[in-house]
Amino acid sequence: MKLAVTPSLSWLEDPGVFKVNRLEAHSDHRYYADMAKAEAGAPMDMRYSLNGSWKFSYAPNPASRVESFFAEAYNCSAWDSIQVPGHIQLQGFGRPQYVNTMYPWDGLSDVRPPHNPQEHNPVGSYVKEFRLPANLEDGPLYISFQGVESAFYVWLNGEFVGYAEDSFTPSEFDLTPYVRTGKNKLAVEVYQRSTGGWLEDQDFWRFSGIFRDVYLYTVPKQHIRDLAVRAELDDTYTQGSLNVQMQLLDTPQENVSARIELKDKAGQVQLVTEGAFSGRELTLSGEIADVLTWSAENPYLYSLCISLLDAQGKLIEAIVQKAGFRRFELKNKLMCINGKRIVFKGVNRHEFNCRTGRTITREDMLWDIRTLKRSNINAVRTSHYPNQTLWYELCDEYGIYVIDEMNLETHGSWQKMGAVEPSWNIPGNDPNWRDIVLDRAESMLERDKNHPSILIWSCGNESYAGQVILDVANWFRSRDSSRLVHYEGVFHNRDYDATSDMESRMYAKPADIEEYLNSNPDKPYLSCEYMHAMGNSVGGMHKYTELENKYPMYQGGFIWDYIDQSIITKDRYGHEYFAYGGDFGDRPTDYSFCGNGIVYADRQWTPKMQEVKFLYQNYKLEPGKTGIRLINESLFAGTGHLALEYRLYREGELLGTWTTDVNASPQSEVLVPVELPQADGKPGEYSIQASLLLKDAELWAEAGYEIAFGESIFVVQEEAEAEQPAGQLKVVEGDVQIGVLGEDFTVLFSKQAGSLVSLNIHGREMIAAPPAPLFWRAATDNDKGTNLGYIAGCWYAASLSRKCVEVSLSQEEGAVTVSFDYRFSIHPGLSVQTAYTVYGDGKVRVRTRYNGAAGLPDLPILALSFKMPADYDQTEWYAMGPEENYIDRAYGARLGVFSRSVQELPSRYLVPQESGNRTGVRRVKITDKSGVGLQISAPATAPVECNLSPYTAFELEHASHAFELPAVHYTVVTVAGRQMGVGGDDSWGAPVYKEYTIPAEQSLEYEFFISSVGTEEK
């Protein structure tokens, strides 16, 4: 029946009006007319998509909108078109805006909740004409909007249907009274600002519009509207109990019954039961002996086949719901899955696509779920809103633990520039906001309750604390006793500590976490956000993962975050680039703070993933000369599905590969004996590497994929001393230059320039700009967060200019040494000496000594940097790699030989910064495409760090986007004795750990060799 309601714009500012004629939330199960289609998971015949092109009109505020567009007589044919699903701001209307904690109108409007800015509240008017397909004509008709941001009104054929808020859960309406045969006009009016918008101050791009699917649907004459499946375990965790609660849409006028069959993966029926509805309700239950349990390690799913039958026993409706038997509980102060202490190796994930924003596809989600599994991530927090239904289905199927977070964040109402100031916090204790917040909890839980992957309900994010959120937590508990409840915000107000079942904090330092864990706490600890992965980050992550085995009540955490929220757009010359806040003229903005992913915005792994994958391994491998120690930290998975492969290398060259089976039960360790070939005492550096590989393909990876890795390195020393390189040297000491000449090479030093200025080999000049001491790196995002430029900017100045106070020349048999002694204006006691020793074969030893001085800030880097012509753009490394690594982010790196072009070495962080470094460099060749060039080398016992880039640290420092960098003219070679770590505890002040810094007062010395490669045959 039609409900006579007159829509009002006042609803946008009334927290008491957040749904008008909206249908009640219900489970997200699919239903069919026959069981074969249900079991096949076929597209639903009773659903009709309205995705596609809609007519569209944009207005910057309500006053300028087309008010009567919904009327049947209004002709919209001349309007623009827009794609649904999709964001308004990514389709040429308005502009995207990125802000983190502040509300997007901060400084432009002084409104306070629940009021909205009147001058800028974009309105999108949508029109879609449709004709009902034949199979939807006879039954009732409903419409489902899976996601609309942030408030919207709906009309059909000129008549008002309803209104809804909450951008991230479905809003559904009954269209039956308004639909007609033939053409129908659907009109939707979407507002960006509303009372709902005050509750959606998440750290993301501010969009609006219909950004998830829209579809019409009908139901059979009797329909299970809501389904609640509880698949649980007894105290032995071996016997399953199944409880299935069904609720019909309408009270039946005749007998209606349901039969359920529980089938295993082989299609064998494990349980059958049936019963008749009493009114709209029916509950069926049963027990299953020796049940196969669900976990992220073994995500076993049964198929629950439900047949809804009429009085004659004829099938009315068929439903197949996947069911996973598992038990999640607090047990002796620990969170346990199926009786075992769980450790969350998690990540926070925004739904994001670099071209379509939060409108993401099935392909995006499949890539994401496979990436999580391939990188040993076992958990995801849906930061900070419920995701699309498909995501939970994939988590069920692939095996990912989920914290399902309701759509609530009011960060800007209580925290300003980091300071807690909750004078106008919402929802707080304000009863006016209670129902609108509870509705969001209900909409999420009722839709998602049947997904075994969801272990925890979260009351939202960064909304301070108060009675309203406590009421939400208690509602979750009363509605669902099979899951725990999470909320971090009580950290700021312990009066509401009962809101959360676990102690959850953001960006706490390991020392602070240990302090809590050593205080005899009542709740287990969870880092709901840690390792702020902004730009070049994730340094020191091992300090968190090391807590997992040290403290049982430390139960892991969730990295912030999964994917860079960067939008591809074009610069003024039509070239695409990855944009961040402010690039669209959006103000206010938080600029590049949207770039925190361990995955780039275009769904490619960042180098940070190398560390994450290693530190999140469930299997630890410690290879030795006679055996490999394997520690299986899995809770349920053994090693039968894995093959152990081990390899022996000498100086990066593979000597042999062997494969064996291994049997390590969960929570155990074994020593696997191995026999390696005798190296015959041949001197050199040896590496034993062990890997666990998938024997068979999984949903998420091919057979042979490596899921765990370990390495040990040892050196067999040369017994005899190395011979002096042969070759005659001639020294020419001019007035300005000192030349060292040998067979087919010339090395030239300048007393005026104070450095090596030429390395000419076979007539090729290798040096484009002379080596100079470098103490500054292009500031990373974390460096900027610690104000490195202010604190340590003197090292920037010292890198730009120095004074050479002495040049010395010494000669011995077969070697010539030219030394330079440098002083720096930043401190009279600071000095650096660099000595170049040229040998008869043309090899040059470069030895640098840094003599520190007290009172200076820590050094970012101690290095020598020079330029080669850009033709030398190919590299081959024998170093820790293959991906970028730093002294505090090198656990996931392995010693090996790998190649990259120079252009590929810098990482694609949103803002140009220090990147591409490798630690443990034994040698690196820098050549042109014919293989001619230089080699940098260092002994295995004293390797160096190296960075090869098309750009200098200073060019990177002063570029805000990659397109601001100059055209490539050089290959910049930077060889460091040490570079500070990159840090990552947070990006707004957390320092690099002391052991990964370079104190200015100490003295340091390092050396490396420069030699030619590929010139002998040229």
Side-chain angles (χ1 to χ4, degrees):
M1 59 180 278
K2 296 181 180 179
L3 301 175
V5 179
T6 301
S8 170
L9 290 185
S10 67
W11 297 347
L12 296 169
E13 298 187 326
D14 185 349
V17 181
F18 48 87
K19 59 178 181 178
V20 177
N21 297 345
R22 194 197 75 195
L23 301 177
E24 293 305 308
H26 57 84
S27 56
D28 58 8
H29 64 278
R30 290 189 287 272
Y31 53 92
Y32 300 83
D34 67 79
M35 187 58 73
K37 286 189 175 181
E39 292 194 272
M44 286 178 57
D45 292 336
M46 286 178 272
R47 187 179 288 182
Y48 179 72
S49 175
L50 293 182
N51 292 351
S53 180
W54 292 46
K55 303 307 289 184
F56 182 76
S57 174
Y58 175 82
N61 52 53
S64 58
R65 79 194 192 283
V66 180
E67 292 191 34
S68 59
F69 78 103
F70 54 83
E72 288 191 88
Y74 191 93
N75 186 351
C76 302
S77 60
W79 280 14
D80 292 318
S81 295
I82 196 169
Q83 285 296 308
V84 171
H87 298 296
I88 290 171
Q89 291 77 11
L90 294 183
Q91 300 190 65
F93 307 96
R95 62 176 55 150
Q97 180 185 14
Y98 168 70
V99 289
N100 174 17
T101 64
M102 60 183 158
Y103 283 97
W105 49 82
D106 189 72
L108 301 175
S109 175
D110 57 2
V111 293
R112 287 288 184 260
H115 303 294
N116 300 309
Q118 296 304 306
E119 299 78 16
H120 188 261
N121 184 2
V123 184
S125 300
Y126 293 77
V127 171
K128 180 75 168 180
E129 292 185 345
F130 66 88
R131 295 176 184 271
L132 278 182
N135 63 318
L136 266 64
E137 287 181 344
D138 296 333
L141 185 71
Y142 305 94
I143 189 167
S144 179
F145 295 90
Q146 291 290 296
V148 182
E149 191 171 3
S150 72
F152 67 106
Y153 301 77
V154 182
W155 294 264
L156 185 62
N157 298 324
E159 297 189 79
F160 178 65
V161 174
Y163 169 83
E165 299 177 16
D166 188 352
S167 301
F168 296 96
T169 55
S171 295
E172 299 185 346
F173 303 94
D174 186 356
L175 299 185
T176 310
Y178 314 102
V179 72
R180 62 190 177 205
T181 303
K183 187 167 65 175
N184 291 269
K185 179 181 178 180
L186 176 67
V188 182
E189 191 172 68
V190 180
Y191 290 79
Q192 187 169 21
R193 319 287 189 214
S194 65
T195 46
W198 280 103
L199 302 176
E200 297 173 7
D201 191 33
Q202 288 94 334
D203 175 10
F204 60 13
W205 287 92
R206 309 308 168 100
F207 299 127
S208 63
I210 306 172
F211 69 98
R212 288 183 182 167
D213 291 344
V214 183
Y215 56 84
L216 304 171
Y217 67 96
T218 189
V219 297
K221 60 181 180 180
Q222 292 297 337
H223 168 60
I224 296 176
R225 181 67 167 174
D226 190 59
L227 175 67
V229 178
R230 295 279 288 268
E232 300 184 310
L233 301 173
D234 70 355
D235 291 343
T236 69
Y237 307 102
T238 61
Q239 308 301 303
S241 64
L242 181 68
N243 183 279
V244 182
Q245 297 178 358
M246 293 162 278
Q247 184 184 76
L248 298 176
L249 176 61
D250 299 306
T251 303
Q253 302 304 308
E254 60 178 2
N255 290 335
V256 174
S257 62
R259 181 177 70 249
I260 65 172
E261 295 180 319
L262 187 72
K263 296 182 180 180
D264 62 20
K265 284 188 175 181
Q268 298 299 306
V269 177
Q270 302 296 313
L271 172 70
V272 179
T273 186
E274 59 184 287
F277 280 83
S278 174
R280 296 171 58 205
E281 311 288 337
L282 173 61
T283 299
L284 296 174
S285 59
E287 306 294 321
I288 306 94
D290 300 320
V291 72
L292 294 170
T293 59
W294 185 96
S295 68
E297 296 168 21
N298 294 314
Y300 194 92
L301 292 172
Y302 290 84
S303 293
L304 175 63
C305 301
I306 303 173
S307 300
L308 188 65
L309 307 171
D310 64 14
Q312 289 74 43
K314 184 179 178 182
L315 182 69
I316 306 172
E317 183 176 60
I319 296 170
V320 174
Q321 175 68 48
K322 298 295 184 180
F325 287 83
R326 58 115 181 102
R327 181 167 170 178
F328 186 65
E329 61 191 330
L330 269 178
K331 186 177 180 182
N332 300 322
K333 297 184 180 182
L334 299 178
M335 290 181 283
C336 295
I337 180 78
N338 303 340
K340 305 290 186 180
R341 167 186 171 257
I342 194 172
V343 174
F344 292 99
K345 302 179 179 188
V347 69
N348 286 271
R349 175 182 171 272
H350 274 290
E351 293 182 313
F352 197 78
N353 178 289
C354 60
R355 296 187 184 275
T356 57
R358 287 187 288 277
T359 299
I360 66 170
T361 64
R362 177 184 181 85
E363 289 69 32
D364 291 334
M365 287 184 263
L366 284 169
W367 194 93
D368 291 351
I369 200 82
R370 290 166 181 160
T371 290
L372 298 188
K373 296 295 290 186
R374 291 170 73 94
S375 54
N376 294 319
I377 294 170
N378 72 1
V380 68
R381 177 176 175 231
T382 66
S383 52
H384 303 289
Y385 42 81
N387 290 181
Q388 295 184 45
T389 283
L390 176 59
W391 180 246
Y392 302 99
E393 293 173 344
L394 293 174
C395 290
D396 295 340
E397 182 181 8
Y398 282 72
I400 293 290
Y401 301 124
V402 177
I403 295 182
D404 201 9
E405 191 149 84
M406 64 181 279
N407 179 23
L408 174 66
E409 180 166 344
T410 63
H411 206 152
S413 76
W414 65 274
Q415 192 169 42
K416 289 86 175 179
M417 294 174 59
V420 176
E421 196 286 287
S423 61
W424 56 275
N425 168 241
I426 55 172
N429 298 324
D430 189 341
N432 293 316
W433 291 87
R434 183 178 186 276
D435 288 348
I436 189 174
V437 173
L438 277 170
D439 178 72
R440 291 169 177 242
E442 182 177 352
S443 293
M444 176 179 74
L445 182 147
E446 296 301 345
R447 186 196 68 169
D448 298 343
K449 56 182 175 283
N450 295 326
H451 294 285
S453 56
I454 299 171
L455 302 185
I456 297 171
W457 301 118
S458 177
C459 300
N461 185 63
E462 293 178 315
S463 298
Y464 194 60
Q467 188 61 45
V468 171
I469 297 176
L470 177 58
D471 288 349
V472 167
N474 288 331
W475 181 84
F476 279 138
R477 295 183 182 108
S478 67
R479 182 70 180 89
D480 181 6
S481 61
S482 70
R483 296 177 171 98
L484 299 181
V485 177
H486 164 270
Y487 186 65
E488 174 269 343
V490 298
F491 174 77
H492 301 286
N493 188 336
R494 292 297 185 180
D495 290 344
Y496 300 95
D497 199 60
T499 304
S500 185
D501 292 327
M502 65 285 299
E503 176 72 6
S504 175
R505 298 186 193 174
M506 295 181 177
Y507 309 109
K509 310 297 187 293
D512 297 328
I513 297 172
E514 290 200 74
E515 182 182 5
Y516 171 82
L517 293 168
N518 286 320
S519 67
N520 190 27
D522 292 325
K523 297 179 181 180
Y525 188 97
L526 186 68
S527 294
C528 67
E529 292 179 22
Y530 83 114
M531 276 290 104
H532 197 263
M534 185 177 181
N536 194 349
S537 187
V538 192
M541 178 178 167
H542 67 95
K543 289 183 174 288
Y544 291 89
T545 56
E546 286 164 3
L547 299 177
E548 295 167 4
N549 291 326
K550 187 176 181 181
Y551 297 96
M553 292 183 73
Y554 180 79
Q555 299 201 250
F558 294 77
I559 293 166
W560 186 267
D561 62 351
Y562 172 68
I563 190 168
D564 281 348
Q565 294 182 74
S566 175
I567 299 169
I568 289 181
T569 189
K570 292 183 178 180
D571 64 18
R572 64 169 56 247
Y573 302 107
H575 304 129
E576 288 191 337
Y577 76 98
F578 289 93
Y580 52 77
D583 286 346
F584 297 93
D586 47 311
R587 301 293 188 278
T589 186
D590 281 299
Y591 300 98
S592 63
F593 208 73
C594 55
N596 315 135
I598 53 176
V599 165
Y600 293 121
D602 58 355
R603 283 186 162 76
Q604 299 293 318
W605 287 25
T606 75
K608 295 170 282 192
M609 193 68 95
Q610 178 174 263
E611 191 81 348
V612 172
K613 180 182 177 183
F614 181 85
L615 292 175
Y616 272 177
Q617 290 177 168
N618 281 342
Y619 301 90
K620 307 295 193 292
L621 293 166
E622 299 174 1
K625 296 179 183 179
T626 60
I628 299 170
R629 184 175 177 230
L630 190 160
I631 305 165
N632 183 1
E633 296 181 353
S634 304
L635 303 183
F636 309 105
T639 53
H641 62 302
L642 303 171
L644 175 62
E645 179 183 280
Y646 54 100
R647 302 168 297 280
L648 179 64
Y649 297 85
R650 179 185 175 275
E651 301 291 333
E653 179 184 351
L654 180 63
L655 301 180
T657 300
W658 303 268
T659 304
T660 185
D661 286 330
V662 61
N663 183 16
S665 57
Q667 300 282 288
S668 73
E669 66 177 77
V670 297
L671 183 64
V672 182
V674 298
E675 291 186 13
L676 297 174
Q678 292 297 318
D680 298 324
K682 190 175 182 180
E685 182 179 37
Y686 292 81
S687 167
I688 306 170
Q689 298 183 359
S691 301
L692 285 174
L693 312 177
L694 291 176
K695 287 182 178 178
D696 301 308
E698 300 279 356
L699 281 172
W700 44 271
E702 66 280 3
Y705 183 77
E706 181 187 88
I707 66 163
F709 164 79
E711 177 177 49
S712 66
I713 299 168
F714 63 93
V715 175
V716 175
Q717 295 288 355
E718 183 88 50
E719 292 185 7
E721 290 202 14
E723 294 182 5
Q724 186 87 325
Q728 296 298 313
L729 295 174
K730 178 183 177 181
V731 177
V732 179
E733 188 169 5
D735 296 329
V736 179
Q737 311 288 327
I738 300 172
V740 181
L741 287 66
E743 184 178 355
D744 295 322
F745 70 86
T746 301
V747 184
L748 201 59
F749 302 92
S750 171
K751 291 180 274 188
Q752 181 171 279
S755 186
L756 164 74
V757 293
S758 174
L759 186 54
N760 192 294
I761 302 168
H762 287 275
R764 291 177 178 239
E765 179 55 62
M766 300 292 182
I767 304 296
L774 181 70
F775 311 105
W776 185 257
R777 70 180 185 193
T780 67
D781 289 309
N782 290 344
D783 291 341
K784 294 171 185 175
T786 61
N787 217 355
L788 184 73
Y790 178 82
I791 295 169
C794 58
W795 293 116
Y796 179 106
S799 300
L800 290 177
S801 186
R802 69 216 63 82
K803 182 178 183 180
C804 182
V805 298
E806 183 180 359
V807 180
S808 61
L809 169 67
S810 64
Q811 301 182 55
E812 56 184 302
E813 184 66 29
V816 175
T817 299
V818 179
S819 300
F820 300 91
D821 190 353
Y822 303 109
R823 297 294 186 271
F824 303 87
S825 62
I826 63 173
H827 196 287
L830 179 67
S831 67
V832 170
Q833 291 83 41
T834 298
Y836 299 88
T837 301
V838 184
Y839 296 100
D841 61 352
K843 180 180 286 189
V844 181
R845 183 182 71 182
V846 185
R847 177 175 290 174
T848 295
R849 178 172 178 80
Y850 165 87
N851 303 291
L856 289 170
D858 292 346
L859 284 76
I861 190 172
L862 174 62
L864 276 181
S865 187
F866 64 95
K867 294 179 180 178
M868 296 176 66
D871 290 341
Y872 300 96
D873 62 354
Q874 304 298 308
T875 71
E876 181 186 280
W877 302 71
Y878 174 46
M880 301 302 291
E883 304 303 330
E884 156 196 293
N885 53 88
Y886 293 81
I887 56 174
D888 63 347
R889 202 184 82 210
Y891 280 81
R894 66 189 70 186
L895 182 61
V897 175
F898 54 93
S899 300
R900 296 280 195 283
S901 71
V902 171
Q903 199 73 35
E904 293 172 321
L905 289 170
S907 301
R908 298 186 293 117
Y909 302 127
L910 280 188
V911 176
Q913 57 194 276
E914 160 61 37
S915 70
N917 188 71
R918 266 61 174 191
T919 63
V921 178
R922 279 73 165 163
R923 65 177 182 265
V924 57
K925 297 176 183 177
I926 310 140
T927 68
D928 62 15
K929 290 180 175 61
S930 70
V932 175
L934 295 180
Q935 175 174 281
I936 306 294
S937 59
T941 52
V944 292
E945 300 186 41
C946 210
N947 188 317
L948 305 176
S949 173
Y951 312 108
T952 69
F954 309 102
E955 289 167 340
L956 292 164
E957 179 75 32
H958 295 290
S960 297
H961 301 84
F963 64 72
E964 299 174 37
L965 292 166
V968 175
H969 299 286
Y970 304 104
T971 290
V972 181
V973 181
T974 301
V975 185
R978 185 173 173 88
Q979 181 177 173
M980 68 184 283
V982 293
D985 287 0
D986 64 46
S987 301
W988 48 90
V992 169
Y993 289 101
K994 197 65 181 174
E995 61 265 40
Y996 301 126
T997 61
I998 312 173
E1001 64 274 12
Q1002 69 180 2
S1003 295
L1004 292 171
E1005 189 171 325
Y1006 71 99
E1007 70 176 36
F1008 60 93
F1009 294 85
I1010 303 175
S1011 58
S1012 64
V1013 291
T1015 57
E1016 297 81 2
E1017 304 82 15
K1018 305 298 177 184

